[in-house]
Amino acid sequence: MSRLQSWPEPIIRVHELSESGIKKIPENFVKLPSDRPSEMTKLSSSHVDNIPLIDLENLKSSDESIRDETMEIIFKACREWGFFQVVNHDVSHELMANARGVWREFFHLPLDEKQKFANSPITYEGYGSRLGVVKGAKLDWCDYFFLHYLPEKLKDENKWPSLPISCRQIIAEYGQEVMKLCERLTKILSINLGLNEDYLHTKFGGDNERGACLRVNFYPKCPQPDLTLGLSPHSDPGGMTLLLPDTDVAGLQVRRGDDWITVKPVPNAFIVNMGDQIQVLSNTIYKSIEHRVIVNSAKERVSLAFFYNPGGDILIKPADELVTEDRPVLYLPMTFNEYRAFIRTKGPCGKSQVESLKSPR
């Protein structure tokens, strides 16, 4: 599949727009009325319970009933919500705060400094302000930075920000620690499916082929937050996402039936969600749920989304052990690279991207 070498239109840096003092957002950021975060949506979401909260310390309990109950809560969260928050996850709270802080500093650097890392549609790696390459598309109110951790052949620390001075060191340490948590969680997810604890690790490609990348999102203050979104509705195309949210202001919304639930971040927690590849591997037992981000007129937000993915050339299909007469194969086999190529030109597009892979019956 051919890829554009450059963006189809001049890039608009959202932070620069926000800082310019505009009272109205440009028309290309204004969503269609049906896609806007309406007051009705906000009211309905404020009265719904938060996503499940998991204390991973319970899995170390000497009481088997506590361990079993915690495993069941995780299974139910993956099956019914596709999202949950985890605390007592063994990632240093200081490291989490430092990672958020250093990225906030980066996005407040002078534009010329950030532009040294400007990205292109070829890999999206670097400093960016749009997803998708459709000319004239509605844009999201967000700047971001995207980088690779794994596989090693894709990792290039020279493409990581050189300022602030501590940035590269903190990024590397953060990736190592969050990777350990991903490994721990995929074991739990595998066991809860009745599979070997290393099943998902192996299907992702093991130590040598699995993928991991980071997208740091910066949502500047917006003068008309009711007309736009920080990130349009979508499900994550990869395996599993660990989100480190902003501590000061909520913004992530999760689809729950006809409602959008605004997630209330718990202090020092990660928000975990299933991606499309885990939905496929689990034969839709685990759900990859649509979500979006709203913006704020009074406060900016920074969040770190760590994506833990299968290797790009590995064929992903439902686990044989999860295919039964009552639950036949629901998805056609496809490599992760093929899937990404399939959705690359569209940008965020709700759940249609994974549902279109369903096997004809």
Side-chain angles (χ1 to χ4, degrees), residues 282-308:
S282 71
N283 207 25
T284 207
I285 294 174
Y286 292 160
K287 304 299 191 298
S288 175
I289 297 297
E290 189 177 4
H291 50 285
R292 68 182 188 181
V293 175
I294 56 174
V295 289
N296 193 288
S297 61
K299 293 183 178 181
E300 66 185 32
R301 290 182 62 247
V302 174
S303 66
L304 284 66
F306 186 95
F307 302 109
Y308 190 59

Side-chain angles (χ1 to χ4, degrees), residues 102 105 109 161-170:
V102 79
E105 287 184 55
L109 288 173
S162 53
L163 291 176
I165 296 297
S166 60
C167 193
R168 289 179 179 175
Q169 178 184 345
I170 291 174

Side-chain angles (χ1 to χ4, degrees), residues 146-152 154-155 160 175 178-179 182 204 209-215 240 305-311 336 340:
F146 181 82
L147 60 88
H148 290 287
Y149 283 111
L150 291 176
E152 287 289 339
L154 293 181
K155 181 180 178 182
W160 300 1
V178 177
M179 187 78 66
C182 288
F204 276 27
E209 295 185 66
R210 60 183 171 165
C213 51
L214 181 71
R215 179 183 147 123
M240 179 176 67
F306 186 95
F307 302 109
Y308 190 59
N309 299 326
F336 186 39
R340 284 188 291 194

Side-chain angles (χ1 to χ4, degrees), residues 170-189:
I170 291 174
I171 292 171
E173 184 180 354
Y174 181 80
Q176 291 171 0
E177 294 305 306
V178 177
M179 187 78 66
K180 294 176 186 176
L181 179 55
C182 288
E183 292 170 353
R184 184 179 176 191
L185 289 171
T186 51
K187 286 183 179 181
I188 293 169
L189 299 181

Side-chain angles (χ1 to χ4, degrees), residues 53-61 70 74 84-90 181 184-185 188 272:
L53 176 64
I54 312 296
D55 186 347
L56 291 182
E57 191 68 23
N58 289 339
L59 294 178
K60 301 176 183 178
S61 173
T70 303
I74 296 172
F84 55 91
Q85 297 192 67
V86 291
V87 293
N88 292 322
H89 40 62
D90 294 336
L181 179 55
R184 184 179 176 191
L185 289 171
I188 293 169
V272 182

Side-chain angles (χ1 to χ4, degrees), residues 220-246:
K221 291 181 285 187
C222 179
Q224 294 178 297
D226 292 337
L227 297 184
T228 192
L229 290 166
L231 198 55
S232 296
H234 67 287
S235 61
D236 290 346
M240 179 176 67
T241 305
L242 268 63
L243 181 75
L244 178 61
D246 200 302

